[in-house]
């Protein structure tokens, strides 16, 4: 068969090469650079096409598509969320994503996004906390010590300067795993037996649990004044982590309200309950933390622009790192109108 021209090939970043890229850049540097990339795209938020993710829900999970474009580049992510997968030895979340050139529609890169989603979620959390958390925060409680916990802890260390993370999970094995993985990475790691113990002295609280249900991971009496809450786990209809009364006491900051009102903690509130969009804080159009006693809540559900930023970051690293393989993905006949002839020539060749 005839060898395809270079136009036919699309760079593909495999799981192996994504891990190599993280190690090549350094995880804390990569988290910091991702946070900066995401913040820069939030600062030009009005340029993007925006829509709530397209979700297919079942009783045991969800499959979603998350598209966006800035007018020059298009990106989407395919992602699932199946909390019961761990019982079968499978990941709760798996993902892949694609970047494309708007001018031609041709793909620019295909990439794994299971690891990249954990990285971009942690980078977004820390970026938001940079604007919303109390100044000089040093201690974070990490409630839920599953697949994303270490990424969250290291992002807050790299971007926000925390020095201690206090871990709690209903499964002690998850806490032990997280503590083991974070050992020697520059954080004081404290394993706790209750969520209340994990909260002691914490200025920042991250909740990141997986069960698809209306849960109360944090009760109202656990949250004192001045705390910043990074609520990561409430990310689909029927799945929350915070008691409603906490929301009523908090300044609430979100990514994209039409999506967050469906999926986030604020699905517990009236549809017109006031929230502030994070991009407005970044651009100075809205106020972030008002004073040292305010409770701030980042109701994080994950939005397509964050995935777009992460994909563009990886794409920018391809040439320098060489950590990709070319996939023969695009049909490339000599005459664009002669696709059938391309098959005939392949037969004769």
């Amino acid at each position: 068969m005839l060898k395809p021209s270079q136009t036919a090939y699309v760079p593909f970043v495999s799981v192996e090469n994504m891990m190599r890229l993280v190690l090549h850049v350094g995880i804390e540097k990569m988290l910091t650079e991702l946070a900066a990339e995401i913040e820069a795209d939030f600062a030009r938020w009005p340029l993007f096409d925006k829509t709530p993710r397209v979700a297919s829900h079942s009783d045991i999970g969800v499959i979603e598509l998350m598209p966006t474009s800035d007018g020059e580049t298009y990106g989407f992510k395919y992602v699932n969320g199946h909390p019961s997968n761990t019982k079968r030895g499978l990941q709760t979340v798996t993902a892949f994503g694609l970047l494309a050139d708007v001018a031609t529609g041709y793909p620019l890169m295909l990439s794994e996004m299971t690891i990249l989603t954990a990285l971009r979620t942690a980078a977004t959390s820390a970026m938001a906390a940079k604007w919303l958390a109390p100044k000089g925060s040093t201690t974070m409680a990490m409630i839920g010590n599953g697949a994303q916990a270490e990424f969250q802890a290291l992002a807050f260390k790299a971007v926000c300067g925390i020095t201690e993370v206090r871990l709690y999970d209903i499964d002690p094995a998850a806490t032990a795993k997280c503590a083991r993985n974070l050992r020697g990475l520059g954080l004081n790691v404290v394993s706790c037996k209750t969520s209340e113990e994990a909260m002691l002295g914490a200025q920042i609280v991250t909740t990141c649990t997986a069960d698809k249900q209306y849960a109360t991971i944090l009760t109202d009496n656990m949250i004192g004044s001045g705390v910043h809450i990074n609520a990561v786990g409430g990310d689909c209809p029927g799945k929350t982590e915070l008691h409603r009364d906490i929301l009523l006491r908090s300044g609430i900051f979100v990514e994209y309200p039409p999506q967050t009102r469906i999926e986030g903690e604020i699905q517990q509130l009236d549809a017109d309950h006031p929230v502030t969009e994070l991009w407005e804080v970044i651009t100075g159009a809205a106020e972030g933390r008002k004073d040292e006693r305010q409770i701030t809540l980042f109701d994080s559900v994950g939005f397509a622009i964050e995935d777009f930023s992460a994909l563009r970051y990886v794409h920018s690293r391809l040439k320098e790192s060489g950590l990709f393989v070319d996939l023969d993905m695009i049909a490339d006949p000599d005459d664009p109108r002669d696709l059938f002839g391309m098959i005939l020539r392949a037969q004769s060749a």
Side-chain angles (χ1 to χ4, degrees):
M1 291 182 65
L2 299 175
K3 182 176 175 61
S5 75
Q6 196 57 40
T7 309
Y9 291 107
V10 176
F12 169 60
V13 182
S14 64
V15 172
E16 179 182 3
N17 276 329
M18 185 63 72
M19 293 190 292
R20 287 179 174 176
L21 180 62
V22 173
L23 296 172
H24 170 73
V25 175
I27 187 163
E28 289 192 32
K29 182 180 179 184
M30 189 166 177
L31 286 164
T32 301
E33 291 178 347
L34 278 171
E37 196 80 25
I38 293 165
E39 185 175 290
D41 280 341
F42 270 53
R44 61 191 190 109
W45 188 267
L47 294 177
F48 285 90
D49 293 337
K50 293 175 284 291
T51 184
R53 53 184 149 210
V54 182
S56 176
H57 293 280
S58 67
D59 291 340
I60 58 172
V62 63
I63 294 173
E64 301 166 333
L65 289 177
M66 301 173 65
T68 192
S69 171
D70 66 356
E72 295 184 3
T73 307
Y74 171 89
F76 79 83
K77 182 174 78 174
Y78 166 99
V79 62
N80 77 297
H82 286 69
S84 63
N85 272 3
T86 53
K87 297 174 184 176
R88 304 164 63 187
L90 301 174
Q91 289 285 300
T92 297
V93 174
T94 65
F96 68 87
L98 182 136
L99 279 183
D101 176 34
V102 168
T104 64
Y106 270 45
L108 298 171
M109 182 186 74
L110 179 67
S111 178
E112 85 79 37
M113 287 196 75
T114 306
I115 293 171
L116 189 56
T117 292
L119 288 162
R120 77 84 162 130
T121 302
T124 302
S125 294
M127 184 272 288
K130 188 184 80 170
W131 291 91
L132 301 174
K135 297 300 180 187
S137 296
T138 60
T139 303
M140 180 171 78
M142 185 79 224
I143 313 296
N145 302 156
Q148 295 200 45
E150 296 92 338
F151 296 92
Q152 290 281 331
L154 290 175
F156 275 82
K157 174 180 181 283
V159 176
C160 302
I162 69 161
T163 57
E164 179 171 300
V165 60
R166 302 177 63 83
L167 305 176
Y168 171 71
D169 194 290
I170 57 172
D171 180 2
T175 299
K177 175 271 304 180
C178 188
R180 182 174 63 250
N181 287 344
L182 290 174
R183 191 177 301 133
L185 295 181
L187 283 167
N188 181 33
V189 180
V190 181
S191 299
C192 302
K193 294 183 178 179
T194 66
S195 53
E196 289 82 1
E197 182 186 352
M199 296 286 295
L200 293 175
Q203 299 99 359
I204 299 170
V205 183
T206 292
T207 57
C208 190
T209 59
D211 282 351
K212 189 177 179 182
Q213 62 178 327
Y214 291 114
T216 305
I217 306 303
L218 296 183
T219 57
D220 188 38
N221 63 341
M222 294 170 66
I223 301 298
S225 64
V227 169
H228 173 65
I229 305 169
N230 173 44
V232 178
D235 57 2
C236 71
K239 184 172 183 284
T240 61
E241 297 179 316
L242 309 184
H243 192 283
R244 184 176 184 273
D245 288 348
I246 296 175
L247 308 183
L248 298 176
R249 296 167 56 207
S250 302
I252 302 173
F253 299 83
V254 303
E255 293 139 314
Y256 184 55
Q259 180 174 296
T260 311
R261 292 193 188 279
I262 296 169
E263 301 176 349
E265 296 297 329
I266 59 173
Q267 66 186 277
Q268 304 179 65
L269 302 179
D270 295 336
D272 60 352
H273 188 89
V275 298
T276 302
E277 296 184 53
L278 185 58
W279 74 269
E280 295 179 302
V281 177
I282 292 168
T283 60
E287 190 176 15
R289 172 172 285 273
K290 294 179 180 178
D291 57 62
E292 62 182 16
R293 294 187 58 79
Q294 184 188 26
I295 299 169
T296 52
L297 165 62
F298 179 42
D299 192 358
S300 168
V301 296
F303 190 62
I305 292 173
E306 297 152 24
D307 299 307
F308 178 93
S309 305
L311 286 167
R312 280 204 312 123
Y313 173 83
V314 172
H315 187 255
S316 74
R317 287 282 187 170
L318 292 186
K319 193 171 184 180
E320 167 260 332
S321 70
L323 294 172
F324 66 93
V325 296
D326 279 326
L327 294 184
D328 180 9
M329 276 185 63
I330 305 299
D332 186 34
D334 296 333
D335 179 350
R337 299 165 299 180
D338 192 16
L339 191 61
F340 187 78
M342 183 180 175
I343 299 173
L344 294 179
R345 287 188 293 279
Q347 182 183 34
S348 62

